[in-house]
Structure formats: structure tokens, C-alpha cells
């Protein structure tokens, strides 16, 4: 149960202060997302203490805000890294090897949708609007342009040569370049 609760707290962006102690700003309705997590803990026999931190000094509030923003900044930087090291490199590699197929374009588009969904989750909990958000948005916009370019290349290749009907390597199909012959069926 502890790992499941920890994952749910991470999913909503909770700021870990100590083991089993987290903080969430009330802004953006984030603290309301604790309700189902607290209920789960109680249903499993655990104890939940939940209270507002209203009597913080200005320095304490600033420190919590800075830590919250540092966590969001880290998440945005991971999105930028995902865009640069995985998404962009994947497109470069597929162009290099001439894998200009509709299936590859669809796979790359799905990868971009995952990145966008991840960014949307981070945006939702970025209640103090950290500057790193702009970098992540720029990286995603670049990925969108690269995807558009890749799809255009696939379209051009299919318009010129027809769609690629080569089966994926390793599929076990005849002609796929596998070492093992395909199983023959008896009538």
C-alpha cells in the first residue's frame, strides 16, 4: 500500500517533506486531490493527519514555495530532456535509416501525445508558474514541427513509391529477413 500511496502523491505533485509527510498548496484545487488518497489510506487501516499551514512565517512560506517550484522545474526539465534525447533522436534515426512509413509516423505521434499528456499533468500542478514551463513548451513545439516534417516525408515517400509493405524485422513473417522459416499450415 505504501508504494501505491507514494505513486498517487507523486502523480498529484505533492512536495515530500519527510517520509510520509507531504505538502500541497491550496491553490489550483490540488489539496482536494488528497481526499481519495486519504480515504484509501484509512480503508487500509492507516492514519491520515491533514491540516492547513496557515501560521507560516513569510520565510517559511517562501521556502515551501521555492521547494514546490524546484520540483516543477525538475519535471519540466525532464520533459525537455525527453524531447531532446528521445523524441528528436528517434526522428533523426528513422530518417537516417529511411524508415519513412505510416506505422513509424503513427508510433512517433503516439510518443509526442505521451509527452504532451505528461506536460499537461505538470502544468496542472504548476500553480506558481515557474519559468521552466516556457522551455518545456518550446521543446514540445519543436517536437510538433519535427513530427510534421517527418509525416510530410512519409507522405512524399508513399506518394512517390507507394506504401511500404515490408513486414517489420523480427515478426516471423515470410520475407521479413528472419532466420527461421514461417510455419506452414496443412490443409
Amino acid at each position: 500500500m505504501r508504494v501505491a500511496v507514494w505513486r498517487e502523491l507523486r502523480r498529484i505533485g505533492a512536495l515530500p517533506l519527510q517520509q510520509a509527510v507531504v505538502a500541497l498548496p491550496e491553490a489550483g484545487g490540488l489539496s482536494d486531490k488528497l481526499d481519495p488518497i486519504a480515504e484509501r489510506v484509512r480503508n487500509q487501516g492507516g492514519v491520515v493527519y491533514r491540516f492547513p499551514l496557515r501560521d507560516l512565517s513569510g520565510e517559511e512560506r517562501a521556502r515551501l514555495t521555492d521547494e514546490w517550484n524546484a520540483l516543477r522545474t525538475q519535471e519540466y526539465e525532464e520533459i525537455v530532456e525527453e524531447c531532446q534525447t528521445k523524441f528528436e533522436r528517434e526522428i533523426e534515426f528513422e530518417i537516417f535509416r529511411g524508415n519513412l512509413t505510416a506505422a513509424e509516423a503513427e508510433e512517433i505521434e503516439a510518443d509526442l501525445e505521451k509527452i504532451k499528456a505528461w506536460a499537461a499533468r505538470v502544468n496542472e500542478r504548476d500553480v506558481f508558474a515557474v519559468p521552466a514551463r516556457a522551455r518545456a513548451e518550446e521543446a514540445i513545439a519543436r517536437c510538433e514541427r519535427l513530427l510534421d516534417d517527418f509525416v510530410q516525408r512519409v507522405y512524399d515517400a508513399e506518394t512517390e513509391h507507394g506504401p511500404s509493405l515490408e513486414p517489420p524485422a523480427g515478426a516471423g513473417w515470410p520475407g521479413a529477413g528472419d532466420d527461421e522459416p514461417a510455419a506452414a499450415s496443412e490443409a
Side-chain angles (χ1 to χ4, degrees):
M1 172 181 83
R2 287 182 182 183
V3 172
V5 169
W6 173 82
R7 287 182 69 205
E8 289 178 39
L9 290 169
R10 294 287 303 155
R11 194 171 293 122
I12 65 171
L15 175 65
L17 299 176
Q18 290 188 3
Q19 186 173 351
V21 178
V22 299
L24 280 169
E26 290 180 337
L30 292 174
S31 63
D32 295 338
K33 293 182 179 188
L34 282 175
D35 294 338
I37 299 170
E39 185 173 331
R40 179 179 186 164
V41 170
R42 287 185 195 107
N43 289 342
Q44 297 292 321
V47 178
V48 174
Y49 297 101
R50 194 169 160 187
F51 47 88
L53 299 175
R54 298 191 199 281
D55 295 331
L56 296 175
S57 70
E59 181 181 319
E60 292 168 326
R61 186 171 305 281
R63 188 170 52 241
L64 273 177
T65 300
D66 289 347
E67 290 176 15
W68 180 266
N69 288 342
L71 197 53
R72 301 296 75 85
T73 298
Q74 179 185 11
E75 290 170 332
Y76 283 129
E77 292 302 324
E78 288 178 15
I79 290 168
V80 170
E81 181 180 339
E82 182 80 10
C83 289
Q84 293 173 343
T85 62
K86 292 185 182 173
F87 189 87
E88 292 179 20
R89 300 299 171 249
E90 175 72 12
I91 287 180
E92 289 173 4
F93 179 69
E94 298 305 340
I95 291 170
F96 169 77
R97 70 183 201 139
N99 188 19
L100 302 175
T101 65
E104 189 60 41
E106 187 175 345
E107 181 183 329
I108 291 171
E109 185 174 15
D111 291 343
L112 181 56
E113 290 305 315
K114 288 177 190 175
I115 292 170
K116 288 171 140 182
W118 178 15
R121 289 190 305 272
V122 176
N123 290 349
E124 186 177 303
R125 53 191 179 237
D126 180 19
V127 296
F128 303 114
V130 299
R133 181 180 192 162
R135 269 196 77 215
E137 290 170 349
E138 290 168 14
I140 291 170
R142 176 168 165 69
C143 289
E144 289 173 331
R145 289 189 302 274
L146 289 170
L147 174 63
D148 289 344
D149 176 70
F150 186 80
V151 170
Q152 183 66 50
R153 288 171 186 254
V154 169
Y155 174 80
D156 293 345
E158 288 192 357
T159 300
E160 186 175 330
H161 306 292
S164 172
L165 300 178
E166 288 296 315
W173 299 344
D178 296 336
D179 294 329
E180 296 181 24
S185 62
E186 293 181 26

